[in-house]
């Protein structure tokens, strides 16, 4: 193997080896005497160090990758081996005394002889820490900068002999097991290995393993004096018993069995992601709907009283969106809301249950008398008029309001407890607080009361905190630090506050117009005279001016903290609030007419009703404010008039100089109060508006998603709705017809993928066409599903339709229900919505489900499944559903709100369709539906399936879910959860099985089975004896089974259900009219498909799916970049194409008036050239457009039309800003250059970096250059906050504003146009940056952090050399190659330049990272081998 092989091998290190290197990054303690043959001196010559480092570099550059580390045993095994080894060592030591002990014994007793071992018993390590220096000096060229970890951890001889506990002892021992050999040591080596100070005298063990006391009689042949001499010299052997006992206890503790939790092994986030935390287990096993548990978790401690339940019904009915209900329906509406809350709170049933089985309580039915008809004496006396009060969306809103009411009650209870404590501790009474607390309806009102309580009784609240130890200054005496307002309230100055003649509460009551008006009384003296009196002044307020200012401030604070006054302000803001947007300096430059925020840049005078109609606009304003582009302000529409009205109810009605003086002070105090109240009130209103607008957008997303869910499977010809079709799905993804293969997948009705494959070319390849025809004739699909990523997909559709027409391919014959004749339809080709397939085909789920299928085949499978059941496809996405767009402003709403709304839509639709329990238990794809079943959730669904499989996997009835005592079957769910889910999972009815219950296959809830059986008996006209006999013979379901067996379901239509309903309501107080209708329908057709027919895509939807463009993003009048496909010389036209795939023509007269007709168009234009063009017309059905590139047309910018009122846009400010921008442009002294290219922006370097901040790596901006009109600057994003600015020199320019025909960069790289430069220069460098950052040797931190990592690594591995790359933010386009050749070597770094398609190191270009790494090693090795520095 030559050196080149070593280099390549090193560069292809596998991941495990690199991970092992990184895991050994902790610095280790250096052992004394590491360099055994070198004196330990700090005065070594620096040149020696450098020479030694250079020698280490030369000897260890290239590594043989054959070296591998031994695998580390698991922790428990290592502990057991470690303990066993130490005990064995002790036992060996206890078998006899040490050598020196025996020598001393021999000296004291000459007659004593010791037996010498026949073989040397000492062992040594082949490669221990004492010979590290020799090994380090002998390392060869293959070791330096090695990527293989050598395992530099060494055994500590002292700890090994003493048997001390070290966590890595077992690992170290195992590592050196293969290096131990029998060897006879010299006396010097023995002396080095066994130090007298570290030797322990071992003793025999007792029966329990403890150390036995020293027994002198064991020393045969010794007298008492000899024994005493030994004991005096060495002790009795018990000196270290405490340490050994502690070690044994530690070992026993480590070996004891422990209750290991998942969080002990995995990160908590991983456990939580898998729903395996303790909290998840509680939710999983509790007999309560999972969604209720999660939603009510913050309010578990809140228990509503009967009075609060009544209050909640009234509160919720007020909070719900206003309806135009007539007066006669308001009371029924309130009762309906109260009943729904009772179902949620008392019965603990979810929304689908209420909507399905308590529908009668959502409808108001009234009997309307009918005028008697003499001609029809048997006509009914009345008709039933039914009004729907609540729909399913309303039920979800009521459930949400229930949570908000619980939060309200929780806050109210907390305030009540605080007030009760104040009353008990300080004996205070506050009538205002006591009257307003029970009446508070919003969290804002409760917060106002809390602020009032803490302001009005601040000292008592502080004392209460001191008593409870809640204050940070609890150790201080109460009252030492009083606020200014407390001192005013408790001092003489407060008499001046009372002299204002009216309290803040009375003033607010007047403003609210509640009760009798409270009139303001004037004192008999002027305010300044009263302020100067001795009855007011004190040490703190020694002058009248100070006293009067403090009194006004106190009165203003009381007004500002008055809950009633805040209510006045809040009501005024909601009734006459105005929202306006003001651009900032940053927004002035950034928001141009093409910017998405331009429609709000100068928006003014938006009333709250306008915001309600356009919630997306308001959220866009707040988003722009977060980005610092605009400032959103909320003000009162007629603020001065509002202030005047308030002052009128505050001022005195008296006419005198004194009254005028006091009114002036009152007005000043009122203005102070309003100034203090306005900012927080505006913030509160702004945040409430945000919440409401977010809720509106989320609800709109839910509505749109519900429409997409509400689709039955594609209906094959002659089949009833709901029949699952057999599908052949085809696509070539982003390919081109005739060039790229067409992937296909065949799915049976049950969803099984039976066959997949590829067609090479369905346009020109006859063999492929014949194979397609044979496939269709063999498989007999009901429909062909097609989709793709580009506009070219339409050509595939056209090719398939042509083949179908030519071969006359048809679906299976079926009987026409009208004529009864056999007929067959032409095989239909359907464009399928691929929003789910796009997410699925590259997902981890797809890779795990179909690992052997290519992504495009998985895409086809998802298309076919969408045709078979859109609901199941959407459900299978889980939380990835948020990736699908349902509203243009969806991204402005927090994801959790969107997910919550989308999940509620899936719950509704899954429970409408039901879940076949047999399929769910056998197929995970169907089991995905279970988490949306009423009563279940993700946790309970998993537990539900596991329990079913654990009990045999087969169920014969819904009742078995509750368990069976006789058959000892364990319950799968509790009674409450079962009550929720029972009717939404069904079991297929088997007419051959007498145990099978027909109603278990219907939407009928088990609580209503008796009604269904009664209706079946009445339809069959069975008397009680017949019914009893049938039940005794075949069980409770016998009557229904008889009805089905006789095919007599139509007879239930003859039943008069109104009489049934009246009897049930009269006798049992149960309203079941709608339920009876459901039972009648289910007896005739169980779980009938209630969804709408499959929705075929509209023209706009197909256009958006294949192009990604909407009517807002691409429309007539826009100026867009187009690429020339062909120059049609004969027709003198340009055939062009947009990036989205839309094609078009530029006619000759739309090119230019100054075109030289003597020259061909190819003289001016060439294929792939990019032009700026204006869209003149656009056909979305044909994906075609017409364009113009005439200069006068392009100068007319596109302006989006907005429907605004006259005073809603600040035209004056807009014109001022235009002039301001022109002045700034003139101040720069440069002509503003415009280049016709999609990447061009009129930016400077700072603006370009700001624009690219949110873009990806490799994105670029072409901009004017400050070097003149023959230069262009290109800024591209290298990494986060790293941007490279490239100067491009233009040559061969037609004029000063045109782009040069030759573009040069650095005098080295030459390009013919901007597109070539972007692709072959910018994108090529971006690819090399990606390759560098993905390499195993790349460090994501700064150069300092990388060097710190190198230092730490070499400290942990002193004889290892290591290198790494890091980005150089100071020099964009460069990386730093940092290296350290051993622990003592200096840190070094070399610059690595990124160039197109290569890296440049020391003037040499390397095509990839492997070559760069090997080149670095060879250069470094050659430099130091030649004595280079």
């Amino acid at each position: 193997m030559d050196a080149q092989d070593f280099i390549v091998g090193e560069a292809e290190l596998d991941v495990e080896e690199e991970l092992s290197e990184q895991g050994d990054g902790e610095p280790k303690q250096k052992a004394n005497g590491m360099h055994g043959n070198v004196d330990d001196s700090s005065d070594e010559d620096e040149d020696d160090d450098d020479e030694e480092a250079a020698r280490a570099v030369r000897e260890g550059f290239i590594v043989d990758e054959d070296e591998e580390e031994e695998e580390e045993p698991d922790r428990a095994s290592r502990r057991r081996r470690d303990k066993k080894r130490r005990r064995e060592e002790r036992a060996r030591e206890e078998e006899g005394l040490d050598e020196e002990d025996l020598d001393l014994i021999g000296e004291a007793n000459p007659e004593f002889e010791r037996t010498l071992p026949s073989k040397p018993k000492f062992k040594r390590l082949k490669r221990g820490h004492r010979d590290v220096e020799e090994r380090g000096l002998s390392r060869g060229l293959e070791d330096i900068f090695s990527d293989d970890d050598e395992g530099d951890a060494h055994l500590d001889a002292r700890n090994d002999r003493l048997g001390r506990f070290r966590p890595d002892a077992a690992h170290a021992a195992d590592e050196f097991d293969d290096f131990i050999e029998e060897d006879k040591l010299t006396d010097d080596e023995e002396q080095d290995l066994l130090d007298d100070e570290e030797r322990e005298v071992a003793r025999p063990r007792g029966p329990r393993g403890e150390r036995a006391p020293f027994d002198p009689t064991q020393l045969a042949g010794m007298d008492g004096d000899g024994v005493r001499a030994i004991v005096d010299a060495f002790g009795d052997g018990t000196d270290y018993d405490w340490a050994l006992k502690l070690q044994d206890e530690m070992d026993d503790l480590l070996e004891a069995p422990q209750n290991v939790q998942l969080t002990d092994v995995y990160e908590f986030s991983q456990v939580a992601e898998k729903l395996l935390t303790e909290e998840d287990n509680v939710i999983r096993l509790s007999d309560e709907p999972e969604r209720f548990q999660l939603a009510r978790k913050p309010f578990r401690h809140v228990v509503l009283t009967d009075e609060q339940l009544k209050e909640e019904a009234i509160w919720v009915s007020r909070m719900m969106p206003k309806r135009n209900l007539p007066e006669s329906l308001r009371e029924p509406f309130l009762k309906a809301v109260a009943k729904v809350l009772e179902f949620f709170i008392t019965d603990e049933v979810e929304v689908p249950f209420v909507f399905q089985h308590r529908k009668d309580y959502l409808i108001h039915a009234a009997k309307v008398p009918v005028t008697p008809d003499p001609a029809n004496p048997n006509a009914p006396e009345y008709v039933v008029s039914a009004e729907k009060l609540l729909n399913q969306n309303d039920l979800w809103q009521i459930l949400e309001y229930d949570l908000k009411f619980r939060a309200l009650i929780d806050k109210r209870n907390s305030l009540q407890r605080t007030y009760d404590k104040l009353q008990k501790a300080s004996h205070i009474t506050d009538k205002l607080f006591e009257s307003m607390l029970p009446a508070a309806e919003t969290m804002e009102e409760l917060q106002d009361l809390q602020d009032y309580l803490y302001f009005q009784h601040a000292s008592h609240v502080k004392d209460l905190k001191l008593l409870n130890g809640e204050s940070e200054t609890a150790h201080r005496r109460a009252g030492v630090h009083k606020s200014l307002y407390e001192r005013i309230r408790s001092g003489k100055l407060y008499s001046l506050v009372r002299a204002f003649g009216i309290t803040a509460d009375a003033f607010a009551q007047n403003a609210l117009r509640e009760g009798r008006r409270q009139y303001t009384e004037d004192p008999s003296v002027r305010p300044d005279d009263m302020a100067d009196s001795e009855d007011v002044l004190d040490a703190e307020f020694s002058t009248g001016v100070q006293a009067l200012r403090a009194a006004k401030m106190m009165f203003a604070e009381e007004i500002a903290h008055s809950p009633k006054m805040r209510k006045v302000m809040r009501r005024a803001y909601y009734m006459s609030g105005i929202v306006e947007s003001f651009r900032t300096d940053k927004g002035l430059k950034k928001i141009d007419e093409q910017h998405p925020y331009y429609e709000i840049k100068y928006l003014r005078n938006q009333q709250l009703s306008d915001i309600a109609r356009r919630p997306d606009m308001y959220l866009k304003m707040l988003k722009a404010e977060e980005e610092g582009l605009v400032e959103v302000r909320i003000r009162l529409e007629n603020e001065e008039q509002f202030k005047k009205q308030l002052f009128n109810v505050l001022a005195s009605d008296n006419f005198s100089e004194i009254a005028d003086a006091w009114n002036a002070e009152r007005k000043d105090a009122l203005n102070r109060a309003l100034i203090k109240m306005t900012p927080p009130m505006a913030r509160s209103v702004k945040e409430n508006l945000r919440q409401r607008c977010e809720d509106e957008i989320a609800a709109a997303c839910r509505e749109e998603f519900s429409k997409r869910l509400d689709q039955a499977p594609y209906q094959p010809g002659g089949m009833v709705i709901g029949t699952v079709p057999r599908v052949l799905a085809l696509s070539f993804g982003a390919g081109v017809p005739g060039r790229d293969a067409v992937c296909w997948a065949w799915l049976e009705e049950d969803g099984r993928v039976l066959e997949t494959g590829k067609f090479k070319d369905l346009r020109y390849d006859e063999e492929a066409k014949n194979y397609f025809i044979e496939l269709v004739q063999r498989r007999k699909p009901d429909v062909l599903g097609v989709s793709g990523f580009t506009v070219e997909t339409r050509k595939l559709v056209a090719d398939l339709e042509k083949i179908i027409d030519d071969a006359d391919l048809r679906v299976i014959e079926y009987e026409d229900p009208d004529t009864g004749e056999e007929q067959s339809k032409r095989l239909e080709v359907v464009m399928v919505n691929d929003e789910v397939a796009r997410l699925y085909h590259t997902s981890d789920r797809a890779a795990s489900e179909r690992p052997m299928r290519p992504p495009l085949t998985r895409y086809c499978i998802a298309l076919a499944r969408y045709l078979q059941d859109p609901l199941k496809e959407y459900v299978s996405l889980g939380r990835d559903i948020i990736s699908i767009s349902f509203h243009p402003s969806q991204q402005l709403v927090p994801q959790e709100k969107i997910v919550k709304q989308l999940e509620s839509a899936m719950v509704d639709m899954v429970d409408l369709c039901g879940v076949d329990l047999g399929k769910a238990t056998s197929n995970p794809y169907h089991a995905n539906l279970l988490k949306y079943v009423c009563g279940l959730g993700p946790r309970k669904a998993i537990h539900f399936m596991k329990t079913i499989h654990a009990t045999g996997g087969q169920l014969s009835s819904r009742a078995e879910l509750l368990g069976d005592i006789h058959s000892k079957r364990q319950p799968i769910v509790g009674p409450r959860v079962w009550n929720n889910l029972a009717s939404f999972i069904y079991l297929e009815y088997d007419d051959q099985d007498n145990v099978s219950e027909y109603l278990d296959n219907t939407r009928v809830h088990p609580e209503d089975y008796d009604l269904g059986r009664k209706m079946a008996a009445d339809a069959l006209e069975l008397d009680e004896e017949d019914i009893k006999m049938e039940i005794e013979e075949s069980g409770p379901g016998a009557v229904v089974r008889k009805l089905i067996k006789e095919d007599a379901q139509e007879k239930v239509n003859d039943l008069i259900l109104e009489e049934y309903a009246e009897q049930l309501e009269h006798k049992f107080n149960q309203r079941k009219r709608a339920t009876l209708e459901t039972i009648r329908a289910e007896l005739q057709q169980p779980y009938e498909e209630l969804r709408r027919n499959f929705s075929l895509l509209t023209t706009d939807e197909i256009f958006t799916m294949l192009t990604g463009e909407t009517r807002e993003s691409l429309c007539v009048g826009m100026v867009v970049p187009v690429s020339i496909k062909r120059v049609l010389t004969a027709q003198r036209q340009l055939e062009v194409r947009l990036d989205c795939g839309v094609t078009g023509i530029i006619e000759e007269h739309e090119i230019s008036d100054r075109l030289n007709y003597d020259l061909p168009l190819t003289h001016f234009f060439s294929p792939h050239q990019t032009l700026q063009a204006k869209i003149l017309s656009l056909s979305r059905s044909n994906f075609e457009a017409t364009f113009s590139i005439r200069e006068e047309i392009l100068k007319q910018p596109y302006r989006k039309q907005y429907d605004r009122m006259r005073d809603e846009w600040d035209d004056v400010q807009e014109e001022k800003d235009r002039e301001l921008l022109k002045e700034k442009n003139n101040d720069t002294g440069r002509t503003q250059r415009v280049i016709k290219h999609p990447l061009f922006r009129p930016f400077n370097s700072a603006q370009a970096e700001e624009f690219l901040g949110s873009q990806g790596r490799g994105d670029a901006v072409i901009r004017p250059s400050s070097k003149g009109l023959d230069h262009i600057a290109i800024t591209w994003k290298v990494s986060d906050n790293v941007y490279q600015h490239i100067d491009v020199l233009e040559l061969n320019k037609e004029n000063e504003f045109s782009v040069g025909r030759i573009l040069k960069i650095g005098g080295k790289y030459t390009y013919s146009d901007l597109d070539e430069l972007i692709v072959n220069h910018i994108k090529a460098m971006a690819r090399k940056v990606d390759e560098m950052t993905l390499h195993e040797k790349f460090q994501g931190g700064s150069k300092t952090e990388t060097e710190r990592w190198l230092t730490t690594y070499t400290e942990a591995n002193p004889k290892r050399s290591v290198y790494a790359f890091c980005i150089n933010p100071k020099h964009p386009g460069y990386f730093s190659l940092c290296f350290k050749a051993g622990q003592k070597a200096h840190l070094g770094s070399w610059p690595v330049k990124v160039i197109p398609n290569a890296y440049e190191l020391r003037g040499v270009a390397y095509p990839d990272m492997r070559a760069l790494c090997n080149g670095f090693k060879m250069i470094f090795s050659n430099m130091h081998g030649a004595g280079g520095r």
Side-chain angles (χ1 to χ4, degrees), residues 429-459:
T429 300
D430 195 312
K431 298 295 184 183
L432 174 65
F433 184 87
E434 291 177 359
S435 63
M436 293 193 67
L437 183 62
E441 292 187 342
T442 64
M443 294 297 287
E444 290 85 357
E445 293 180 7
L446 289 177
Q447 186 61 45
D448 293 343
L449 285 170
Q450 178 175 319
D451 294 342
Y452 165 78
L453 187 68
Y454 279 52
F455 171 77
Q456 195 70 22
H457 308 284
S459 59

Side-chain angles (χ1 to χ4, degrees), residues 655-873:
F655 295 95
S656 66
E657 183 181 350
I658 295 177
D660 292 342
W662 277 104
N663 282 339
E665 300 300 336
R666 293 179 187 117
K667 187 173 185 178
D668 189 14
L670 175 61
N671 289 333
R672 289 171 180 261
L674 293 177
I675 291 174
K676 186 175 183 61
M677 295 173 65
T678 297
M681 193 62 60
R683 286 196 299 270
S684 174
V685 173
K686 182 189 291 188
E687 187 58 31
N688 282 341
L689 282 178
R690 177 202 291 269
Q691 297 296 330
R692 293 183 184 182
C693 291
E694 288 177 351
D695 292 341
E696 286 293 325
I697 299 296
C701 291
R702 183 188 192 280
E703 183 178 358
E704 176 61 28
F705 186 40
S706 296
K707 292 179 181 178
R708 302 187 194 183
L709 292 174
D710 191 12
Q711 297 183 78
Y714 175 85
Q715 185 177 359
M719 302 295 181
V720 298
I721 184 173
T723 303
V724 179
R726 295 169 299 182
V727 183
L728 178 62
L730 307 95
S731 177
F732 51 53
V736 177
R739 188 188 69 186
D740 297 294
V742 177
C743 290
W744 58 270
W746 163 259
L747 270 68
E748 281 283 357
E749 301 101 315
D750 55 5
R752 290 178 300 147
V753 182
L754 296 186
E755 193 175 357
T756 62
K758 292 183 179 180
F759 298 120
K760 185 177 180 181
D761 180 12
L762 288 176
R763 174 167 289 186
Y764 304 112
D765 190 343
E766 293 299 326
E767 183 179 352
K769 291 182 182 179
N770 293 333
Y771 181 52
F772 169 77
I773 295 172
E774 184 273 331
L775 175 67
V776 171
Q777 293 173 343
R778 173 165 49 90
R779 288 297 186 181
K780 298 292 184 182
D782 296 314
V783 63
L784 297 184
V786 179
S787 198
F789 307 147
T790 66
V791 175
E792 299 295 323
T793 304
R794 294 170 54 253
K795 296 181 180 178
L796 176 60
V797 174
D799 293 342
L800 291 173
E801 289 182 337
K802 186 175 185 304
I803 296 174
I804 291 171
D805 290 337
D806 293 344
D808 194 23
L809 300 178
R810 296 181 173 273
V811 299
I812 297 178
E813 291 186 351
Y814 60 91
E815 182 179 336
D816 191 321
D818 298 328
T819 62
E821 298 178 356
E822 293 290 329
Q823 67 176 20
S824 178
K825 288 173 53 179
R826 172 184 176 274
L827 183 60
E828 187 176 5
V829 182
V830 174
M831 285 285 288
V832 186
N833 186 343
D834 71 340
E835 59 188 7
V836 178
R838 292 196 187 205
L839 293 174
Y840 172 78
H841 79 290
T842 56
S843 66
D844 294 337
R845 180 169 64 92
S848 62
E849 290 177 355
R850 312 199 179 273
M852 306 305 294
R853 310 284 190 189
L856 196 53
T857 301
R858 299 174 193 157
Y859 176 81
C860 293
I861 293 172
L863 294 177
R865 282 182 165 179
Y866 191 90
L867 282 168
Q868 290 185 336
D869 196 339
L871 172 62
K872 291 177 183 175
E873 276 297 278

Side-chain angles (χ1 to χ4, degrees), residues 105 113 260 268 395 555 573 592 809 914 1048 1097 1114 1153 1247 1420:
I105 294 172
E113 295 182 3
V260 180
F268 180 80
L395 299 184
F555 188 52
Y573 266 94
D592 57 17
L809 300 178
L1097 293 177
L1114 187 69
D1153 289 334
Q1247 291 173 326
F1420 200 102

Side-chain angles (χ1 to χ4, degrees), residues 320 323 333 336-337 340 355 359 361-363 387-395 398:
M320 291 192 68
R323 301 161 181 264
F333 178 77
V337 171
V340 169
F355 187 73
K359 194 173 294 184
Y361 296 93
L362 313 180
I363 300 171
E387 292 285 344
K388 193 172 186 179
L389 301 175
L390 297 170
N391 56 34
Q392 200 161 2
N393 290 344
D394 295 332
L395 299 184
I398 292 174

Side-chain angles (χ1 to χ4, degrees), residues 370-381:
V370 177
T371 303
D373 184 5
N376 187 9
N378 296 326
E381 299 178 358

Side-chain angles (χ1 to χ4, degrees), residues 177-217:
D177 280 349
D178 296 336
F179 296 89
I180 298 177
E181 65 176 0
E182 297 288 337
D183 196 6
K184 184 173 182 179
L185 305 179
T186 63
D187 293 339
D188 292 339
E189 289 173 330
E190 291 177 1
Q191 185 67 21
D192 290 338
L193 187 62
L194 301 175
D195 192 283
D196 290 342
E197 295 178 358
E198 297 176 350
R199 186 179 301 112
E200 176 189 359
V201 179
R203 290 288 174 254
R205 297 277 170 172
R208 296 183 180 178
E210 70 276 4
R211 184 180 296 276
F214 178 71
D215 186 3
T217 59

Side-chain angles (χ1 to χ4, degrees), residues 980-992:
N980 274 274
L981 65 82
S983 63
F984 302 109
I985 58 173
Y986 59 89
L987 299 164
E988 188 174 353
Y989 173 66
D990 184 1
D991 56 1
Q992 303 299 322

